[in-house]
Amino acid sequence: MSNLTATSLTSLTASSTAAGTITIGNFAPGTALDTISLSSTGAGNLVVGNIAAGTTANPTSVSIVTGTSATGATTIGNIDVGTVATGSIGTLTYTQGASAANNTVGDLIAGTIDTINITTGNAGGDVTFNTLATVGSIGSLTVTAADDVTFTTGATGASSIGSVTVANTNAAVALGTLGAAGSTVGNIAVSGASTTTAITVGAALSVGTVTATTTAGTTTVTLNNGTLIGTTMTGGAGIEVFTGTGASDTISTGAANDTVTGGSGDDTITLGAGADTAIIDTTATPGVDTYIGFDWGGGAGNDNLTLTVAAGFLSTNGVGDLTTGINGGTVAVAALAADTAMPVGTTGLYVNAEQLTTVTAASTTAAIVAEAITQMSDGAADVMANATNNEGGLMLMNNGTDSFLFLVRNTAADATTDAGDVTLIGIFTGLDAANAAAGDFT
């Protein structure tokens, strides 16, 4: 079928149960359009041009169904009912049968889509949506995938997204970035025995809870440091790669080998039974996260720290480049007796026997740092006695209950521990940090 123009058309239906291809050229139905139903439920496929219904169209339903055994690719052009601010679609449904083809859908263009439902069968095919960047808001987005689903560009222009639900069975689902700056994004839920699921949220005002109840595969949810309202992220039995907001989040991982990056807020991070990795970038003004269940020891089953420190960080007496070692996961660990100086050498982390006596894990960062400076400088020798400008090391100290990780870097050529030399970069509940080893760093 060639190009169509029908400005008064209210409904378009094209259906086939046989093999072969349904072909429709570019279609301009006008603003009266109410429903679109394109269906090839047999061995056939659909080839449809752009659907441009005008800037104020409000169809209640757009349904695309591809064949259960289609071997040819279904290609749908742009579905355009307006702009990012005008026009709406009630429910947009894409249902792909057991197709082995590489299917595509063009741009979705609408002020509002109340509901998006995407379902793919299990035959080794996939579907790629070119962009959702020109959708102004989405009520709910649900993906039920047994074959791969990709948004080349996600809903980056949406001022609100009500909820995102992914049920993933042995597929790769990549939804791009969801939500514009200042948007609201609802709960995100991922389930199933997946291959991979990847969701990134823009600099939203707020994000609902993030829940991964997967039993296999890797779920990557990356929230934005520009989001200044914290949330809760909870993992399951699959692998989670979680990145929090710029506010104070509560993050929990499951039993697999998970990876967590907190962000600028003071987060509470509970690590599960796997060999997890905590990422701390001290160059990005991170918050001071509290880690519950971090398992030190340096073995294959222990947890890991991936640290980034600023350039030019040197070991005592300038004999070693700590930046390269720490950032590359090579950190020599040594015990340090109370009231003694860091010795000349290339040690990256000192486990200091000097205790913090006046603070707890609930104390303010300023109070903990002040107490650390006091304890580092009040003994027979200042810990900085062998350090000058930009020299120092990482240091673990405890208060008899919990452990505290500091970055200690002399900011002046004075060989003393002063304000500005000590940065608290993590709190680890319990005293297991006494078992810190080089193998804890990656």
Side-chain angles (χ1 to χ4, degrees):
M1 186 180 297
S2 60
N3 298 339
L4 295 175
T5 300
T7 57
S8 297
L9 187 70
T10 60
S11 179
L12 172 67
T13 300
S15 177
S16 174
T17 60
T21 300
I22 296 177
T23 302
I24 301 175
N26 295 331
F27 176 43
T31 59
L33 182 67
D34 184 62
T35 61
I36 300 171
S37 178
L38 305 172
S39 175
S40 179
T41 57
N45 61 298
L46 301 166
V47 177
V48 180
N50 296 328
I51 300 172
T55 58
T56 58
N58 299 287
T60 58
S61 175
V62 175
S63 175
I64 301 164
V65 179
T66 68
T68 58
S69 57
T71 54
T74 287
T75 62
I76 309 295
N78 300 338
I79 300 174
D80 179 0
V81 299
T83 68
V84 73
T86 63
S88 67
I89 297 173
T91 298
L92 187 148
T93 301
Y94 177 91
T95 304
Q96 178 176 299
S99 169
N102 305 121
N103 305 298
T104 62
V105 178
D107 302 353
L108 301 184
I109 306 171
T112 300
I113 302 179
D114 293 336
T115 304
I116 299 176
N117 292 321
I118 300 169
T119 302
T120 58
N122 183 16
D126 57 71
V127 60
T128 299
F129 290 75
N130 186 50
T131 183
L132 280 73
T134 42
V135 177
S137 66
I138 299 171
S140 65
L141 169 61
T142 300
V143 177
T144 304
D147 275 334
D148 297 353
V149 177
T150 301
F151 295 170
T152 302
T153 302
T156 57
S159 61
S160 67
I161 299 175
S163 63
V164 179
T165 303
V166 177
N168 185 345
T169 304
N170 297 321
V173 175
L175 301 186
T177 299
L178 303 178
S183 63
T184 57
V185 177
N187 296 339
I188 299 172
V190 182
S191 63
S194 69
T195 300
T196 59
T197 300
I199 300 169
T200 298
V201 176
L205 173 66
S206 63
V207 181
T209 59
V210 176
T211 306
T213 56
T214 55
T215 57
T218 300
T219 299
T220 301
V221 178
T222 305
L223 305 185
N224 194 286
N225 205 52
T227 298
L228 301 181
I229 298 174
T231 190
T232 299
M233 307 178 78
T234 305
I239 298 170
E240 288 90 43
V241 181
F242 282 165
T243 300
T245 70
S248 296
D249 303 314
T250 300
I251 303 174
S252 303
T253 66
N257 299 339
D258 305 306
T259 301
V260 178
T261 304
S264 293
D266 294 340
D267 306 308
T268 300
I269 299 173
T270 301
L271 301 176
D276 300 316
T277 298
I279 297 177
I280 303 174
D281 184 354
T282 67
T283 69
T285 317
V288 178
D289 297 336
T290 297
Y291 296 90
I292 300 170
F294 191 97
D295 184 16
W296 298 85
N302 296 113
D303 295 325
N304 301 286
L305 277 177
T306 298
L307 300 179
T308 301
V309 299
F313 190 22
L314 304 174
S315 62
T316 50
N317 210 29
V319 298
D321 177 7
L322 292 184
T323 298
T324 300
I326 292 171
N327 292 357
T330 301
V331 181
V333 179
L336 183 68
D339 298 328
T340 58
M342 291 181 285
V344 174
T346 57
T347 297
L349 170 68
Y350 296 92
V351 181
N352 194 338
E354 185 81 24
Q355 286 199 339
L356 309 177
T357 60
T358 66
V359 294
T360 70
S363 299
T364 66
T365 297
I368 295 170
V369 169
E371 168 67 357
I373 292 172
T374 297
Q375 298 301 332
M376 291 178 192
S377 60
D378 71 347
D382 192 300
V383 296
M384 289 288 196
N386 295 319
T388 185
N389 200 27
N390 288 321
E391 296 175 0
L394 302 170
M395 191 164 296
L396 275 166
M397 302 178 73
N398 72 74
N399 65 351
T401 303
D402 298 309
S403 303
F404 304 80
L405 178 62
F406 301 95
L407 189 154
V408 182
R409 181 172 182 165
N410 202 325
T411 56
D414 57 5
T416 60
T417 306
D418 305 311
D421 292 347
V422 178
T423 302
L424 178 64
I425 61 176
I427 299 172
F428 297 82
T429 60
L431 299 175
D432 190 52
N435 298 314
D440 288 316
F441 295 88
T442 60

